[in-house]
Amino acid sequence: MTLRNRSYGRTHRVRRFQMVRSFVFFAVSVLAVRLMVPVATAAPAIEWRVENPFRMFTKASDTEVHRATFEALSPAERRTAVLSAERQLARRHKDGWAATLLGAVCWDANRNRHVCPGTDEAKASTYIKPTHHVVRARVAGIDDAEVSCTWLTAPLGRSRLRGEAVTAPCRQDVKLSISFPTGATVTVEVGGRRVAEARIVVEDLFIVGMGDSFGSGEGNPDVPVRFSRERAADYGKLAKGVFLTGYPARVGDWRSIGDDAFIEANARWLDQACHRSLYSHQLRAALQIAVEDPHRAVTFAGFACSGAEVTAGLFLRYKGNEWVPHPPDLSQISAIAEEQCAGVGARAHELPEAYHINGQIPDLQGGLVLRKCEVEDARKIDLLLVSIGGNDIGFSRLVANAVLRDKSTLKRLGGWFGQVFPAAQANAQIANLAARYKSLNRAFHYILHLPWDENDRVILTAYPGMSLLDDGKTVCPSGQAGMDVLPAFELSQRRAREGEEAARRLNSEMAKAARAYGWTFVDAHRADFQGRGICAGFAAAAFSTADDLRLPRFVDNRWVPYNPADYRAYVSRQRWFRTPNDAFMTGNFHVAGSLLLSVLKNQNLTWTQVLLAATYSGAFHPTAEGQAAIADAVATRARGVIEKYAGRNRIK
C-alpha cells in the first residue's frame, strides 16, 4: 500500500466517524424535541371561545345548554336556528327550559335593574360595563397527554409583560381572564420555548330590548301553572242558568280560589309586573347572536312590558299589568338611560317641548321628565330591539270587539276592564302613530345617544297576523274554537277580518316610519304565521293534547277531552298564538280575592277570575314557538347590522 492509499484510508475513517457522530447527535436532538413537543400534523395553534357568551345567564352551564343545542342542529335546522332549538329544548323539558333559570339571571325585579344575584351596589355596574371576560383556551396540534403547557397573558400592546403564568397539560382547556375592551396577547410555552401565540379580543355587544307585550314574551311564563289530576274548580254563576263548574284546578294546598295559597302558585315570570319572560323574541334573538360566534359575548338588557304604549310605557312611567310590590319605577327610555350610565348615574331632565311634536302627542305636553347622562358616560347601544305600536292603536280593545258576543255581559262591562271599539276607531288611531314614532326617534338620539348615522341599529319588529289561514287572506271562521273557557267568547269572522286589515295598516305605518328614520324593519316572519293562528288545531277528535282547541272540563265524574295535568305549555303545536283556553291553561292569572272584592265591589263576580285567567294570561299573543320564529327573523337582520359595524362594536 502506498503512502497515498494509507492517507486516503485514514481520511475516509475520520469522515465516517464524523458522519456517525453527527447522526447520533441529530438523533439525540430529535428525541429531546419529541419529549418536549410531540410530532404534530400542523403547527400548534391557540383556539379559544368565551366561556359564558350570554352574560345575562349567571351560570356558564346554562348558556352552554343553548350553545350545544345550536351546535347540534343540522344545516337545514340552522336556517331557523331559534325555532329548531326551541323545539329540541321543549322535548327535553316538559315544563319548558326556562323554569330552572329563575334566580340565576342578571335581573333584580325588586330594584328593576339588570344586576346579577349576590352583587352589591358598588359592583352593580359590572354587568352593563364588564371589565373582563373569561375565555376557555386550548392548544391544537399537541396531542401528547404528558406534555405541559405554560400560558402567559399580557395586556394587548404590552407583550413584554409576561403576566400570570398558568401551567396545565397541553391537551387540557384552561380558563383565562381577558381584559375588556382592550384584550390580551396570550402566549404558550413548552419547556421555556414559545410554541404558539394569539391575540384575544372579545367582542361584547350591548343589545337592548324595549316595547310591549309582543316584545316581553306575554303568554309564556318562565314557570307555567301546573294542574291537579283529581281536583276541579268552580267559579260560580255567570248568568241565569249558566254555571262555571268543573274547571281545571291548580295543584297546591289551597282552600278557596284567590286565597293566599292559591295566589302563591301563580305562574312566575322573569318580571312579574310586565309579564316579561326568557321566551321573549328579543331575548332569544340576543341569545342566538351570542352562542353562534365563539369570540363574542352579549350583554342583554330587556325592558319590554305588557300593555306598554309609546306614551305610557316608553316615555311615561307604566306599572305593568300585574300587581307587584315593586313595579317599574321609571319609563322604559329612562330605565335604559339609567343602565347605560351604570356606575355614573343618570340625571333627570325636564323636557317640556322636544317630544310632543307641536302638540300632536298631548300626553307628553307639560312636565315630561326623562333621565339621561352625558354621551361620554353612556355605554353605546349596538342593537336596539323595538316592538311598539299595537297598544297605541288599541290592540286589546280591537281583539275584544272581535271575540266578545254582542249581547254578552262582558261586552256590556267594556271588554277586559277597558273600552271595546271596532276597527274604524283603530284606523283613526293609526293616523296618530307617525308623530309617536317621530318623537321616539328623537329620544333614541338625544336620550339614548344613538349616532344619527347609525339608525339601522334600531330594529323594529312587525306584528304577525293572528287569525290568517294558509293562503294569507282568509281568516278563521266564526265560532268558539279555542274559546269555550267562557260562554261570552265567540270569534266573529267579519270582525276578525276587519282586525287583520287594521293590523296590515299598522304594519304598513311601521314600515313607513322605519324607512323615514333609517331603522331596520323586520316582517319576514309574518308569512311564517299563516295557517298558525288562533284557530289552528282541532275542535273535536284531536290527534294530540297540544293541538286540541278545547278546554278540559270535569263532566260526569271524568275529564273531557283530556286530564289538565297532562297539558304542556311548551310542547310543539300547530298554532303559534295562545287562545283564551291556552292562556287559562298556561298563565292562569288570578288576583287575590280581597283585591278582586275591593275593585269590583261585588261578591257575586267570582267568575271574573276566569276572565282574567283567559285574557291577562296572554291570550292572542305568540306561543314560545311563535316568539322563536320572530327571533329568527330578527336575528337574520341583526347579523347584517352587526357585520356592517364590525370593529366598531366596542364598549366606550
Side-chain angles (χ1 to χ4, degrees), residues 25 55 163 252 301 320 339 360:
F25 179 77
R55 300 182 58 249
E339 296 215 359
Q360 294 182 66

Side-chain angles (χ1 to χ4, degrees), residues 236-311:
K237 184 179 179 181
L238 176 62
K240 185 177 181 180
V242 181
F243 295 92
L244 305 179
T245 61
Y247 279 77
R250 296 182 183 184
V251 298
D253 188 23
W254 54 272
R255 296 187 177 184
S256 62
I257 295 171
D259 68 16
D260 290 345
F262 189 98
I263 298 302
E264 184 66 24
N266 269 355
R268 295 175 60 197
W269 300 79
L270 174 67
D271 186 275
Q272 202 79 18
C274 289
H275 281 194
R276 187 165 63 250
S277 83
L278 299 178
Y279 293 102
S280 155
H281 77 260
Q282 294 179 343
L283 185 145
R284 294 304 305 276
L287 175 56
Q288 178 59 35
I289 289 168
V291 301
E292 65 190 21
D293 187 328
H295 298 166
R296 176 187 294 152
V298 165
T299 299
F300 177 74
F303 299 91
C305 194
S306 187
E309 301 179 16
V310 170
T311 51

Side-chain angles (χ1 to χ4, degrees), residues 23 34 110 208 237 314 353 454 502 645 652:
F23 175 77
R34 283 180 59 85
N110 291 328
V208 176
K237 184 179 179 181
L314 271 56
E353 299 297 332
E454 298 180 11
Y645 297 107
K652 294 195 63 174

